[in-house]
Amino acid sequence: MTLPLAIDESAYSLVSPSSSSIPNPETPLKLGVLASGSGSNFEAVAAAIKNGQLNAQIQVLIYNNPSAKVVERAAKWNVPAVLLNHRDFSNREELDLQIIQCLQHYSVDWVIMAGWMRIVTPVLINAFLGKIINIHPSLLPSFKGVKAVEQAIDAGVKITGCTVHLVSPEVDSGTILCQAAVPILPYDTAETLHDRIQIQEHRILPPAIALAANLNLK
Ligand code: GRF
């Protein structure tokens, strides 16, 4: 049996546009991050800010799941964390109204949905029009919605990846900012593939935020 070759992640991915072509914003962006789970993308943004790759500050983390690991990451990076548990609200709009209030309280200009597992309503989208960014684990417009990694494996495609895009009322459909391609390998499970996609997510999210800010100025 031939064993699969070790994968060099950088060699096996294609990112567009290249981060070197995206200027860092001149004035610091005030970010609010919405996250529901592990928060590795939150961490990637925080690290990019620390190393100067992204001129920004995370003003607040909003999370909806009391046991989300992202809370520990926020504490580590000294970012205030606010729990807005969707179970405490009778509908999506009420949750979004509370989110808006919190984001405004922390003077947030840009909203980053980094693994926010809730559908946002026009209430939130209109309050931050053109300034909400989402990361999704597929090459949109393929494999929208939940279980995007599994959808790609089931479809038998050989290349998938991740997309950072502006949020519009239709799920996973706004203007695409940045994408990275990731090959699907013969021995991949949803977990192994998602792990490799996440490496690329962490690469493209910070420059995609800078790109959105640049586009917004034009
Ligand atoms: C990422 O794969 C993102 O694309 C999806 O949710 C996941 C969040 O991962 N929307 P993490 O919590 O940032 O580690």
Side-chain angles (χ1 to χ4, degrees):
M1 185 187 140
T2 319
L3 288 174
L5 295 170
I7 296 296
D8 169 356
E9 293 306 332
S10 52
Y12 278 81
S13 68
L14 171 69
V15 171
S16 181
S18 134
S19 60
S20 57
S21 66
I22 302 169
N24 210 351
E26 280 173 18
T27 43
L29 309 176
K30 294 179 182 169
L31 311 180
V33 177
L34 307 187
S36 303
S38 146
S40 66
N41 281 290
F42 169 93
E43 183 108 24
V45 173
I49 292 170
K50 186 168 181 223
N51 71 24
Q53 190 201 348
L54 178 64
N55 188 13
Q57 178 159 346
I58 304 179
Q59 309 282 104
V60 64
L61 163 76
I62 296 176
Y63 64 108
N64 66 318
N65 176 2
S67 59
K69 191 178 160 203
V70 67
V71 186
E72 293 158 36
R73 301 193 198 253
K76 185 180 112 187
W77 289 94
N78 285 320
V79 171
V82 176
L83 172 65
L84 293 178
N85 190 335
H86 58 279
R87 297 166 195 90
D88 296 338
F89 298 87
S90 47
N91 57 49
R92 292 185 199 281
E93 285 77 10
E94 274 187 27
L95 170 64
D96 282 359
L97 279 172
Q98 201 61 47
I99 292 172
I100 294 168
Q101 219 174 73
C102 179
L103 294 170
Q104 287 172 344
H105 175 79
Y106 283 95
S107 307
V108 165
D109 292 327
W110 287 89
V111 183
I112 315 301
M113 290 168 51
W116 180 247
M117 304 310 280
R118 309 294 307 163
I119 291 174
V120 293
T121 71
V123 171
L124 178 57
I125 294 173
N126 290 330
F128 286 86
L129 207 55
K131 292 187 151 194
I132 308 181
I133 292 168
N134 184 45
I135 183 150
H136 182 77
S138 79
L139 289 176
L140 291 173
S142 292
F143 312 126
K144 297 176 181 179
V146 293
K147 296 196 181 291
V149 179
E150 287 86 341
Q151 287 184 54
I153 290 177
D154 291 348
V157 297
K158 301 299 175 202
I159 296 176
T160 185
C162 48
T163 302
V164 183
H165 65 96
L166 293 176
V167 172
S168 66
E170 205 188 319
V171 174
D172 299 328
S173 295
T175 303
I176 290 173
L177 296 165
C178 193
Q179 292 185 306
V182 175
I184 300 183
L185 304 175
Y187 53 84
D188 261 332
T189 62
E191 203 185 353
T192 58
L193 178 56
H194 197 193
D195 285 351
R196 290 205 317 288
I197 290 174
Q198 287 223 288
I199 292 170
Q200 302 310 320
E201 290 186 342
H202 304 158
R203 276 177 84 188
I204 68 170
L205 182 55
I209 295 170
L211 179 63
N214 285 315
L215 294 177
N216 197 263
L217 291 176
K218 288 177 187 158

